[in-house]
Amino acid sequence: MKPDYSLYLVTDRMLMRTKTLGEAVEQAVIGGCTMVQLREKEILSLDFYVLASEMKKITDRYGIPLIINDRIDIAMAVGAAGVHIGQKDIPADIARKVIGKEMLLGVSAVSAAEAVNAAKAGADYLGVGAMFPTGTKPDAGFVSMEELGRIRKAVDIPIVVIGGISKENAMLFQPMGIDGLAVVSAVIAQPDIKKSAADLKSLFFGKEAVNEL
């Protein structure tokens, strides 16, 4: 079965309100998130492993793929579905050799050239952005809608857009052939995580936001 990229949750514990990360992820998945990427930039390896193991139990319970950001060792140690790397991480072709053919490999890209190189190196999908200003990665370079269109034409692997994705712009991308929304604060920082996820997913597919679940 091909992965469903339509609502791709990226975690950020700094944005948490009252829930634990596990509770937030579970609510997001119940609301409609189809993939979960565990992103931890400043954490000890043992703590990352323990947290990833906890997340894996939750995603397995709902049949949702768990992706680990950057850390191939953690992804392999917990049996995650895949790993996501950026342009300044280990090269995509090397990452593919390390993880083998079965694990998913996601690669960040901001241009058609980067997208083509990632696809040639064995990426299963691309994370493209930042599309709009975002507080979670304030130093991220912006990708114009025109460049996104060029990226879509340049590669035939799935694309998820990230960076400032919200209810106001969620409907823009599916008509362009984009496969999903990668969301952080638009879901995990909201008072009602489950409803926020459901609303974004509906809007992505060109439907009205859900009034209540």
Side-chain angles (χ1 to χ4, degrees):
M1 181 182 296
K2 292 184 178 180
D4 179 354
Y5 295 95
S6 57
L7 195 59
Y8 181 116
L9 178 70
V10 181
T11 67
D12 188 333
R13 286 190 295 162
M14 298 298 290
L15 298 175
M16 300 303 302
R17 291 175 176 245
T18 58
K19 296 181 182 298
T20 67
L21 184 61
E23 290 170 339
V25 167
E26 186 164 23
Q27 285 297 300
V29 170
I30 292 172
C33 284
T34 55
M35 299 185 80
V36 175
Q37 180 191 130
L38 180 61
R39 184 167 71 185
E40 292 287 339
K41 292 298 185 180
E42 298 181 11
I43 189 172
L44 296 174
S45 293
L46 178 57
D47 293 337
F48 200 167
Y49 169 76
V50 170
L51 185 61
S53 298
E54 178 188 344
M55 292 304 106
K56 180 74 162 42
K57 292 177 182 178
I58 296 170
T59 55
D60 281 356
R61 190 182 309 148
Y62 294 93
I64 299 298
L66 175 67
I67 307 296
I68 303 297
N69 181 261
D70 292 348
R71 295 289 298 272
I72 293 175
D73 57 336
I74 300 295
M76 297 182 73
V78 301
V83 64
H84 188 95
I85 58 174
Q87 292 294 319
K88 296 181 180 179
D89 297 319
I90 184 172
D93 58 339
I94 303 302
R96 174 54 75 196
K97 290 179 181 178
V98 173
I99 67 175
K101 296 180 180 180
E102 298 303 315
M103 290 179 69
L104 293 171
L105 176 61
V107 178
S108 297
V110 298
S111 68
E114 289 183 354
V116 169
N117 288 337
K120 289 180 178 178
D124 291 295
Y125 73 92
L126 299 174
V128 176
M131 299 306 306
F132 307 102
T134 170
T136 59
K137 295 188 77 172
D139 58 342
F142 291 111
V143 177
S144 67
M145 296 296 280
E146 290 75 18
E147 186 64 21
L148 178 61
R150 286 189 283 269
I151 292 171
R152 178 67 287 173
K153 290 179 181 178
V155 297
D156 59 5
I157 60 176
I159 293 172
V160 296
V161 288
I162 190 169
I165 303 302
S166 68
K167 292 178 182 179
E168 287 69 40
N169 55 48
M171 70 294 296
L172 300 176
F173 299 101
Q174 204 260 353
M176 297 178 66
I178 302 305
D179 299 270
L181 308 175
V183 292
V184 192
S185 57
V187 169
I188 212 163
Q190 302 307 308
D192 191 334
I193 292 173
K194 182 172 68 172
K195 185 177 187 302
S196 296
D199 286 350
L200 281 166
K201 192 170 183 179
S202 293
L203 289 165
F204 173 68
F205 285 112
K207 302 175 184 177
E208 293 296 323
V210 178
N211 290 323
E212 58 182 274
L213 293 176

